[in-house]
């Protein structure tokens, strides 16, 4: 009965030992492998997404560095917020609960997808 209870454990250990064999008879060309990895890494193109908001624009730095624009998108974005009283007779200094925050200036956010 004790052997029957331990048989799954014995099978598991046997599978583990069989699967952990080392292959000492094969020699791998390490130098060629490293060379192929370097060539593959150089052939891949790098991509990056950057965002500029509210009048900022630093895309020329990236273009001068060799990046190319693949996709350009823009959308509205709130640049600044302001606090206003909720009602005419509300005193924001005394009653903080009557303060409402609203958008003050709305600008444009530009999103660039770059590739090098």
């Amino acid at each position: 009965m004790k052997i029957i209870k331990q048989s799954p454990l014995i099978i598991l250990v046997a599978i583990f030992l069989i699967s952990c064999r080392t292959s000492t008879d094969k020699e791998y060309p390490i130098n060629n492998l490293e060379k192929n990895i370097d060539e593959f890494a150089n052939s891949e193109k790098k991509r990056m997404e950057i965002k500029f908001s509210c009048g900022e624009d630093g895309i020329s730095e990236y273009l001068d560095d060799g990046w190319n624009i693949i996709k350009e998108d823009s959308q509205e974005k709130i640049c600044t917020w302001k606090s206003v009283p909720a009602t005419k007779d509300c005193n924001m200094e005394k009653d903080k609960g009557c303060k409402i925050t609203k958008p003050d200036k709305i600008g444009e956010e530009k999103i660039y997808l770059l590739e090098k």
Side-chain angles (χ1 to χ4, degrees), residues 1-11:
M1 191 69 163
K2 193 174 186 181
I3 295 174
I4 294 173
K5 288 183 181 179
Q6 291 181 349
S7 64
L9 181 63
I10 293 171
I11 292 172

Side-chain angles (χ1 to χ4, degrees), residues 1 3-4 16 21 24 33 44 63 76 84 103-104 113:
M1 191 69 163
I3 295 174
I4 294 173
F16 178 73
R21 285 188 273 170
T24 56
L33 181 64
E44 274 188 29
L63 296 177
E76 281 189 353
V84 295
D104 185 27
L113 180 63

Side-chain angles (χ1 to χ4, degrees), residues 4-34:
I4 294 173
K5 288 183 181 179
Q6 291 181 349
S7 64
L9 181 63
I10 293 171
I11 292 172
L12 183 64
V13 170
I15 291 173
F16 178 73
L17 291 174
I18 291 171
S19 66
C20 291
R21 285 188 273 170
T22 59
S23 57
T24 56
D25 56 341
K26 294 182 181 179
E27 292 183 18
Y28 295 103
I30 296 172
N31 293 337
N32 291 342
L33 181 64
E34 289 175 359

Side-chain angles (χ1 to χ4, degrees), residues 20-111:
C20 291
R21 285 188 273 170
T22 59
S23 57
T24 56
D25 56 341
K26 294 182 181 179
E27 292 183 18
Y28 295 103
I30 296 172
N31 293 337
N32 291 342
L33 181 64
E34 289 175 359
K35 186 177 178 182
N36 290 341
I37 289 173
D38 290 339
E39 289 175 4
F40 183 68
N42 290 337
S43 67
E44 274 188 29
K45 294 190 176 193
K46 299 176 186 175
R47 287 193 175 190
M48 172 175 43
E49 183 179 272
I50 56 171
K51 297 178 183 181
F52 296 104
S53 302
C54 302
E56 296 177 8
D57 197 13
I59 191 67
S60 59
E61 297 173 18
Y62 293 96
L63 296 177
D64 293 342
D65 195 31
W67 291 90
N68 297 321
I69 299 174
I70 296 176
K71 184 180 175 184
E72 181 179 346
D73 193 19
S74 64
Q75 59 189 17
E76 281 189 353
K77 182 177 182 178
I78 299 169
C79 296
T80 59
W81 296 83
K82 66 179 178 181
S83 296
V84 295
T87 60
K88 291 180 184 179
D89 58 343
C90 173
N91 186 353
M92 290 193 317
E93 297 297 323
K94 292 182 181 177
D95 186 14
K96 301 292 182 188
C98 71
K99 187 190 309 187
I100 297 175
T101 306
K102 322 184 341 183
D104 185 27
K105 293 182 183 177
I106 297 177
E108 187 177 35
E109 179 181 49
K110 292 184 180 182
I111 304 166

